[in-house]
Amino acid sequence: MYLKYKWNVRNRKFRRYAPELLRKVNGCLQPKGITFWLDFGTLLGVYREHDFLKHDLDIDCGAFVNDLRAIEQILKKSGFKLLCQSYVEGEDVIVEQTYIYKEVTIDFFYYSQVGNNIVCHSFSVTDGVVSEGREIVSVKRIELPYSGFKSIDFIDENFLIPANVEEYLMANYGDSFMTPNPHFDYKKEAKNIVYYTLDEKVGYRLTYK
């Protein structure tokens, strides 16, 4: 009951402030020539529902890893707080960051280009193990088809989305991505994700107060 209450509170805040947050990000990054695009659940909602997904609690965006430091600097100067960031052990680049603005969070997934595809990593909590102040998290490698970007109108502004948006969403959500599925299971539907055990790859999450 308490978890449902917390979810409802977060969802109400998201519905109230998410458009403002996304407009602010656009207003910060676009004039600086930073390429970022709507990604994952945010992209799905905008393309399929022409809105945020009703059950969403945060915003997802993609960007290229070479722009990470510029994005971090711009967002911090614009009133966003960096909550946490994650990376893969043995690799010296941060590949996921979470920022907060007016109690709503936005995740940036940082991509590298590999041939005709782009690759990012996502992370999941394990059992809360902490090593040298870093939380150990499991690693997922996500590979997506890449053919550049196009513009879409959303909340009265222009945002970038993948030019091959349907192929891109199909990779993440399966052939029936245009049909809402409350029982969607990434492990069954998304064939573009490699799940690593902690013996294969270890991720670390740094959380800031």
Side-chain angles (χ1 to χ4, degrees):
M1 199 70 177
Y2 177 65
L3 291 177
K4 185 177 181 180
Y5 170 78
K6 285 184 68 176
W7 183 92
N8 286 333
V9 169
R10 281 192 64 190
N11 184 252
R12 284 198 300 271
K13 289 177 179 177
F14 176 81
R15 303 299 296 184
R16 180 176 180 181
Y17 293 118
E20 180 182 344
L21 184 157
L22 196 52
R23 287 191 188 100
K24 190 171 180 68
V25 169
N26 205 30
C28 295
L29 300 183
Q30 197 176 81
K32 300 293 186 180
I34 301 291
T35 297
F36 79 99
W37 60 96
L38 306 182
D39 210 357
F40 295 113
T42 301
L43 176 63
L44 178 64
V46 170
Y47 188 75
R48 187 180 72 195
E49 316 287 345
H50 310 292
D51 197 357
F52 297 108
L53 294 175
K54 290 181 180 179
H55 62 269
D56 246 345
L57 299 175
D58 61 8
I59 291 174
D60 298 321
C61 287
F64 290 111
V65 70
N66 289 343
D67 289 324
L68 184 150
R69 293 307 173 199
I71 290 172
E72 182 177 330
Q73 184 178 35
I74 293 166
L75 291 184
K76 284 182 175 179
K77 285 184 177 179
S78 302
F80 290 82
K81 179 182 177 182
L82 178 61
L83 284 185
C84 61
Q85 52 187 1
S86 304
Y87 63 96
V88 180
E89 184 179 49
E91 301 178 19
D92 59 357
V93 291
I94 299 294
V95 286
E96 183 183 345
Q97 290 184 316
T98 299
Y99 293 87
I100 189 166
Y101 177 81
K102 288 194 174 180
E103 299 183 80
V104 177
T105 57
I106 179 168
D107 293 328
F108 273 87
F109 298 90
Y110 292 100
Y111 287 80
S112 300
Q113 189 167 352
V114 180
N116 294 322
N117 295 333
I118 53 176
V119 173
C120 74
H121 292 80
S122 182
F123 303 86
S124 301
V125 296
T126 52
D127 56 2
V129 174
V130 176
S131 173
E132 298 179 353
R134 306 167 300 178
E135 182 181 7
I136 295 174
V137 288
S138 62
V139 180
K140 299 187 289 288
R141 181 184 186 274
I142 304 170
E143 187 163 351
L144 291 156
Y146 175 66
S147 60
F149 303 99
K150 64 182 180 181
S151 184
I152 191 172
D153 184 68
F154 179 58
I155 55 175
D156 299 322
E157 292 196 14
N158 288 317
F159 294 90
L160 291 181
I161 63 171
N164 57 338
V165 59
E166 295 202 352
E167 183 185 10
Y168 192 98
L169 285 170
M170 198 178 297
N172 274 330
Y173 299 104
D175 295 348
S176 59
F177 72 89
M178 287 299 287
T179 302
N181 178 8
H183 305 295
F184 176 80
D185 185 341
Y186 270 105
K187 290 190 174 182
K188 292 180 180 178
E189 301 289 343
K191 308 303 182 185
N192 61 326
I193 303 177
V194 177
Y195 298 86
Y196 295 102
T197 67
L198 292 179
D199 290 330
E200 295 171 317
K201 278 194 178 184
V202 174
Y204 291 104
R205 177 170 294 154
L206 309 173
T207 301
Y208 307 100
K209 294 183 179 180

